[in-house]
Amino acid sequence: MKIINQLILGDNLEILKKLESESIDLIYLDPPFFSNRNYEVIWGDAGEVRSFQDRWSGGMDHYIAWLKERVEQMHRILKPTGSIFLHCDWHANAYIRVEILDKIFGMNNFVNEIIWKRTTTHNDAKQGAKHFGRVNDTIFFYSKETKKYKYYSQFERYTSEYIAASYNKQDPDGRRFKASDLSAAKPGGDTSYDFHGTKPPKGRYWAYSKENMEQFEREGSIYYSDSGKPYLKHYLDEMPGNSVDDLWFNCVYKNKGERIGYPTQKPEALLERILKCASKEGDVVLDPFCGGGTTIAVADKLNRQWIGIDQSVQAVKVTEFRLNQQQDLFSKPFILQLHKYDYDTLRFKNAFEFEAWIVQQYGGTSNSKQRNDFGLDGKTTNNTPIQVKRSDNIGRNVIDNFLSAVQRSDKKLFEKNIAEGKPIGYIIAFTFGKGAIQEVARLKNHENIIIQLVTVEEIVPIAKKPTLTVEVQPLSTDKKGIHEIHFIATGNSPAGVEFFSWDFDYKEPAFKAEILLDKKGEQTWKFKPGQHSIAVKVIDNDGLENIEVIKLKVNGNVERN
Ligand SMILES: C[S@@+](CC[C@H](N)C(=O)[O-])C[C@H]1O[C@@H](n2cnc3c(N)ncnc32)[C@H](O)[C@@H]1O
C-alpha cells in the first residue's frame, strides 16, 4: 500500500521540489505574515527562527521573493483540476496577489478573494490606535486551470433571525415552513382557472398548471391564508441554507478545547469549508506551512489524503499528537519524516522491514524472496550483494558466512569484482566488533577480497531518544475524595528538550494528549478515587521522543505503582 499521508519536517521549498508534478488536488497555505515582529515567531525552535530570519532579512521585496519561489513549486505540483487557497492579511495581501498569484497562476485563474473575519474585537482602539480594528484576513482562491478546477457549492445555516422572520409558519407537527406566492405576472397557458374557489389576484395568473396545483394539494404542500388564498409551502428542513459567498463570518473555533494554545492556529471550521468546496474524498490535500496541523486534522477527518510540511519540530510533533487524538484503529496510517531516526526504534524494528528499508536507503534493491537468498538481503545497482544485520558488535563469524554466501550466490560476479578491485559485498549493521574488522582487513591485505562494512549511521542520521523522569506531588483531597496532583517532568537530550505532552487517561498504546504543548513540563490535574494511568511524552529538538507511564492509585492518599 502506498502511504500518501505524510508529515514532513523541513523547509518546504526543498520538499516541494521533490514532489511529483501534477500530483496534488488542493493546497492551503498559511505562511507567516510579513511583519518584523516577534509575535510571528510561534514555536521558537531552531527551525522556525531560521525561517523567520530567512524571509524577513530584506523587507517586502525579500519576503515576496521568498514566498514566490515556493508558490512556483506549488503551481507545478497542482493537478490541472486543482486549486490553491493562500491565506494572508493586510501586511502583504496586495503584493501577494499582484506579484505572486497573478504572475504565477494568471489573472484569469483568480476565483475569489475571501474575507475571513478572524476576530470580533480588537483592542487597538482602546489603546488609542488611529485606525479601525483590523479583524479580517484575506484568503486568495486561484485555480490551476479555469475550466477544469473542482468546485462544490457550500451552504450555511440560516440565522435564527432569518428563520423567525421568513419560516414563520408551522404544520401541526411543528414542521416550519415559508409560504410563497402562487400567482405570477405573466400568463403561461390556461392559468386563470378557479382553484378550490379562488381565482388568481386581479391582473395576475396562477404560476402553475391546474394539474400541478392539484398535485401540490395532494402532497399537502399548499397553505391557505385566513382569506382562503393558496400559498406554496417551502419547508425549512428541506432547504440547504444560504449559499456561501466570499464574506466568511462564521468560521470560528467550535469550543475552547479546539485551541491548542498558539496565536496563529486556524479554526477547523475554516478548513472544513475550504476542503469541502474544492476537494472530494480520496483527493490529496497539501499544507506546506502546516503549523499545529489544522488542515491535516480536518483532511484526515474528511477522508482526504494529505501531506503536511513544517520547518518547526514543535509544529510537526504537535500535528502528529493532534492526529493521534482523533484517530482510531480504522484510521489510515501516516509517515512522520524527521531529520533523524531514533536508534531504539530502528534497532528493534521488525527484521524484514528494517532490512528492506535500510537497503533502499543505501540505494540498493532489497531481496524480496526472503528464502534461498543465501542469507543475503539485497544488492547494489551492479548486483553486488548486501547483507543486513540489525544488531551491534557484529562478529567474525558473520564475515565468514557472508564470504561463502557471496561465492555461492554468483561466483562469476564474485571473481569479477575481485579482478576489478571492487567490493565483493557490503554488510550493514549498527556496529562491528574487533574480530569482524580484523578479518575484513586480513581478507583485503592477503586475499585481495574487499568486504565493505557500513554502519547504519553512515546511511541515515540516527540519535538516541531523550530521557525522561516524572515526579508526582500529591497536593490535596476534597470531600468527595478528588485528589489534586502536581507533576513535574524533567527531560534530557543532547539536542535540547522542546516540549512535553500529557495524557491523563492513558489507554495503551493510544496516546491521546489532553495537553498537547507544554513547554515547562509541569501540570496539575484532578483525579477521582481509583486506578489511573498517566502518560507523559518528552520531545527533543530532533523530534525524537520518550514516554513515561505513571500508574497511580488514588484512595484518600496517592500510591504510585
Ligand atoms: C501561520 S503558521 C500556520 C498555522 C496553521 N495554519 C495552523 O492552523 O496551525 C505558519 C507556519 O509556517 C511554518 N514555516 C515558516 N517557514 C517555513 C518554511 N520555510 N518551511 C516550512 N514551514 C515553515 C512555521 O513554523 C509555522 O508553523
Side-chain angles (χ1 to χ4, degrees), residues 10-12 28 30-32 42-43 48 51 55 66 70 262 264-266 287-294 309-312 315:
D11 182 348
N12 49 24
Y28 167 83
D30 175 18
I42 314 160
W43 311 102
E48 201 208 0
S51 167
R55 66 178 179 274
W66 175 87
R70 286 166 171 80
Y262 65 92
T264 61
Q265 179 188 353
K266 301 297 175 291
D287 186 341
F289 293 91
C290 76
T294 313
I309 309 169
D310 204 290
Q311 202 170 44
S312 149

Side-chain angles (χ1 to χ4, degrees), residues 91-249:
H91 289 98
N93 59 3
Y95 299 89
I96 289 174
R97 178 166 176 183
V98 175
E99 294 298 330
I100 299 182
L101 292 166
D102 280 353
K103 288 205 170 129
I104 297 172
F105 281 78
M107 283 162 84
N108 56 333
N109 279 307
F110 167 88
V111 182
N112 279 118
E113 175 183 350
I114 298 158
I115 301 299
W116 174 55
K117 191 168 177 186
R118 148 172 68 81
T119 170
T120 43
T121 51
H122 215 284
N123 289 332
D124 288 4
K126 287 188 195 141
Q127 286 152 12
K130 289 165 81 175
H131 58 74
F132 298 114
R134 293 178 181 136
V135 294
N136 77 76
D137 285 357
T138 308
I139 304 171
F140 290 120
F141 171 14
Y142 276 66
S143 64
K144 174 112 179 223
E145 289 189 27
T146 334
K147 293 205 174 108
K148 296 190 178 162
Y149 74 98
K150 294 177 187 174
Y151 180 75
Y152 309 101
S153 296
Q154 296 300 302
F155 297 89
E156 59 188 344
R157 271 198 269 168
Y158 299 128
T159 61
S160 45
E161 293 80 27
Y162 177 75
I163 292 174
S166 300
Y167 288 84
N168 52 3
K169 299 186 174 52
Q170 290 182 12
D171 276 347
D173 62 3
R175 223 177 149 199
R176 273 185 174 269
F177 64 87
K178 174 168 99 171
S180 74
D181 193 2
L182 274 165
S183 72
K186 286 197 181 140
D190 174 20
T191 47
S192 299
Y193 52 86
D194 183 321
F195 184 68
H196 295 263
T198 310
K199 284 269 194 192
K202 206 163 171 243
R204 291 179 70 85
Y205 306 85
W206 292 125
Y208 298 92
S209 69
K210 194 162 186 188
E211 279 161 16
N212 283 346
M213 292 281 269
E214 293 296 356
Q215 179 67 24
F216 293 149
E217 175 72 25
R218 281 193 295 278
E219 288 167 358
S221 303
I222 302 248
Y223 161 78
Y224 293 94
S225 68
D226 292 345
S227 65
K229 190 177 167 202
Y231 290 85
L232 190 59
K233 293 177 181 175
H234 298 278
Y235 286 104
L236 177 62
D237 57 19
E238 288 173 353
M239 296 297 142
N242 281 325
S243 77
V244 169
D245 55 31
D246 56 7
L247 290 177
W248 293 8
F249 292 150

Side-chain angles (χ1 to χ4, degrees), residues 413-477:
L413 178 66
F414 172 76
E415 283 166 357
K416 185 170 170 272
N417 277 334
I418 294 178
E420 292 176 3
K422 290 182 182 159
I424 57 107
Y426 299 80
I427 304 178
I428 300 173
F430 282 89
T431 51
F432 295 92
K434 211 167 154 196
I437 295 169
Q438 281 171 349
E439 177 58 6
V440 166
R442 191 195 66 77
L443 285 168
K444 187 176 175 195
N445 296 338
H446 298 286
E447 301 186 35
N448 270 344
I449 295 175
I450 303 173
I451 294 176
Q452 190 88 40
L453 302 182
V454 188
T455 61
V456 172
E457 200 167 4
E458 288 173 77
I459 304 173
V460 289
I462 50 179
K464 295 253 167 139
K465 58 181 160 204
T467 58
L468 173 65
T469 50
V470 185
E471 200 185 313
V472 178
Q473 297 176 341
L475 295 180
S476 58
T477 320

Side-chain angles (χ1 to χ4, degrees), residues 8-16 28-33 40-45 47-52 54-55 66 70 87 253 260 262-268 270-271 287-296 309-316 318-319 322:
I8 307 171
L9 172 67
D11 182 348
N12 49 24
L13 181 61
E14 301 316 312
I15 292 148
L16 290 167
Y28 167 83
L29 66 150
D30 175 18
F33 296 147
E40 266 207 74
V41 175
I42 314 160
W43 311 102
D45 55 37
E48 201 208 0
V49 170
R50 219 175 16 249
S51 167
F52 175 66
D54 180 23
R55 66 178 179 274
W66 175 87
R70 286 166 171 80
H87 194 135
Y253 301 96
I260 297 171
Y262 65 92
T264 61
Q265 179 188 353
K266 301 297 175 291
E268 293 199 3
L270 177 73
L271 272 304
D287 186 341
F289 293 91
C290 76
T294 313
T295 313
I296 303 309
I309 309 169
D310 204 290
Q311 202 170 44
S312 149
V313 159
Q314 285 188 39
V316 166
V318 163
T319 302
R322 194 166 167 186

